[in-house]
């Protein structure tokens, strides 16, 4: 379902800019008319593709250990539990399903360009964010030069600089009179609006990412420990049956040679 990116961005800007001391309505209208739609779509699509990419990454991180556990259970489950049957075949099939699901989601993310489009749209949105407080001062953003890991990456990223410069050209030169009151409003826009919202976002995001990383680490460690326990129990059973001794293993090798 397509979200109303422009409407959400308009509500966010209006709420922030009308907090005391309010940004003059003339400046608000000028910024909305020139930059709101460009920022809203770039920011909205960046969030959308960023979420898609993180979801695929988290899914692969979770399902890969599960596939390993299924493989261990299918191989050692009958000897550990002493129970034979078709149930272990379903466990092996579950392993294949998990691996196929991981590969399909990876292929989907690769073909869809989730990571590349996330970075592209986020870079563009941040450049437009700079314009919101630079343009009123007559200082549009400078021409950007991106360098990727290869020449192909650099070519793909140059469209961001071109598009941002096109936005600047369309906005034209700010025709405001630089009075003390106007400059004070521009200062308030940066110090009281743009910077606090960015600080709040990064603090919240750091906490959220730390929590997700911790949960994934605990989950992966638990699965690793479970796999280790299964292996130890299996080896213990072999030792109890006398099939792990030095003489038994080399004697068995002598018979089969």
């Amino acid at each position: 379902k397509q979200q109303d990116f422009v409407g959400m961005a308009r509500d966010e800007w209006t709420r922030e800019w009308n907090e005391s001391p309010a940004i003059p309505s003339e400046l608000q209208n000028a910024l909305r008319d020139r930059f709101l739609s460009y920022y809203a779509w770039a920011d909205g699509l960046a969030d959308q593709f960023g979420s898609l990419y993180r979801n695929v990454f988290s899914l692969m991180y979770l399902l890969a250990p599960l596939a390993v556990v299924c493989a261990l259970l299918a191989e050692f489950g009958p000897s550990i539990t002493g129970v034979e049957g078709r149930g272990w075949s379903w466990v092996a099939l579950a392993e294949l399903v998990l691996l196929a699901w991981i590969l399909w989601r990876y292929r989907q993310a690769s073909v869809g360009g989730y990571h590349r489009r996330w970075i592209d749209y986020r870079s563009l949105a941040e450049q437009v964010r700079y314009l919101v407080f630079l343009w009123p001062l007559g200082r549009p953003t400078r021409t950007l030069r991106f360098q990727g890991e290869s020449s192909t990456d650099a070519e793909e990223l140059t469209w961001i600089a071109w598009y941002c410069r096109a936005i600047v050209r369309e906005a034209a030169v700010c025709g405001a009179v630089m009075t003390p009151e106007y400059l004070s409003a521009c200062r308030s826009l940066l110090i009281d609006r743009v910077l606090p919202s960015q600080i709040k976002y990064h603090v919240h995001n750091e906490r959220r990412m730390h929590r997700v990383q911790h949960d994934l680490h605990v989950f992966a460690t638990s699965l690793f420990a479970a796999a280790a326990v299964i292996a130890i129990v299996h080896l213990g059973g072999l030792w109890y049956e006398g099939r792990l001794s030095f003489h038994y293993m080399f004697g068995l090798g002598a018979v089969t040679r």
Side-chain angles (χ1 to χ4, degrees):
K1 183 179 179 180
Q2 186 64 60
Q3 301 182 44
D4 182 13
F5 297 138
V6 176
M8 291 188 295
R10 181 184 294 108
D11 293 341
E12 178 185 353
W13 284 15
T14 301
R15 182 177 62 255
E16 292 180 354
W17 292 355
N18 286 320
E19 294 177 356
S20 180
I23 303 299
S25 59
E26 296 81 3
L27 180 57
Q28 290 192 33
N29 293 333
L31 293 174
R32 287 196 194 95
D33 293 342
R34 289 166 173 80
F35 305 117
L36 176 63
S37 61
Y38 296 114
Y39 169 78
W41 277 100
D43 183 69
L45 290 174
D47 288 342
Q48 181 173 301
F49 282 102
S51 296
L52 289 172
Y53 176 77
R54 285 189 293 269
N55 289 341
V56 171
F57 175 80
S58 299
L59 182 69
M60 294 173 61
Y61 198 97
L62 292 172
L63 294 186
L66 284 177
V68 174
V69 171
C70 288
L72 290 173
L73 289 175
E75 179 68 22
F76 302 123
S79 60
I80 292 175
T81 62
V83 177
E84 301 286 345
R86 290 181 296 180
W88 301 112
S89 299
W90 286 104
V91 175
L93 180 61
E95 175 202 356
L96 295 178
V97 170
L98 289 173
L99 293 175
W101 183 262
I102 292 172
L103 292 175
W104 178 74
R105 289 292 289 166
Y106 174 80
R107 175 65 176 172
Q108 187 181 42
S110 178
V111 173
Y114 292 171
H115 184 265
R116 174 180 56 81
R117 297 168 77 176
W118 168 34
I119 298 301
D120 285 358
Y121 288 130
R122 176 50 55 202
S123 299
L124 177 59
E126 296 311 310
Q127 293 304 315
V128 178
R129 192 195 303 275
Y130 299 154
L131 287 174
V132 170
F133 60 84
L134 289 176
W135 179 82
L137 298 173
R139 177 64 174 89
T141 183
R142 62 185 178 84
T143 301
L144 303 176
R145 294 182 179 179
F146 293 91
Q147 294 183 347
E149 296 180 356
S150 64
S151 58
T152 303
D153 294 336
E155 292 176 359
E156 291 178 352
L157 288 172
T158 52
W159 78 267
I160 302 171
W162 175 88
Y163 196 83
C164 189
R165 294 298 300 176
I167 296 173
V168 172
R169 289 192 297 269
E170 185 182 60
V173 178
C174 178
V177 178
M178 303 295 175
T179 62
E181 293 77 13
Y182 178 83
L183 294 177
S184 177
C186 293
R187 179 183 184 278
S188 178
L189 178 64
L190 174 61
I191 302 299
D192 301 327
R193 303 313 196 278
V194 176
L195 292 182
S197 65
Q198 286 296 288
I199 293 173
K200 180 180 179 181
Y201 166 78
H202 286 293
V203 169
H204 172 74
N205 195 53
E206 189 276 334
R207 292 173 179 171
R208 183 166 63 94
M209 291 298 102
H210 177 75
R211 184 171 63 253
V212 171
Q213 187 272 338
H214 176 266
D215 293 343
L216 289 175
H217 177 73
V218 171
F219 182 75
T221 303
S222 299
L223 290 178
F224 178 82
V229 169
I230 292 174
I232 291 173
V233 171
H234 179 67
L235 293 174
L238 294 177
W239 177 81
Y240 181 77
E241 295 172 1
R243 291 189 292 167
L244 201 62
S245 65
F246 178 85
H247 296 290
Y248 176 83
M249 289 188 293
F250 279 88
L252 182 60
V255 172
T256 57
R257 187 164 46 244

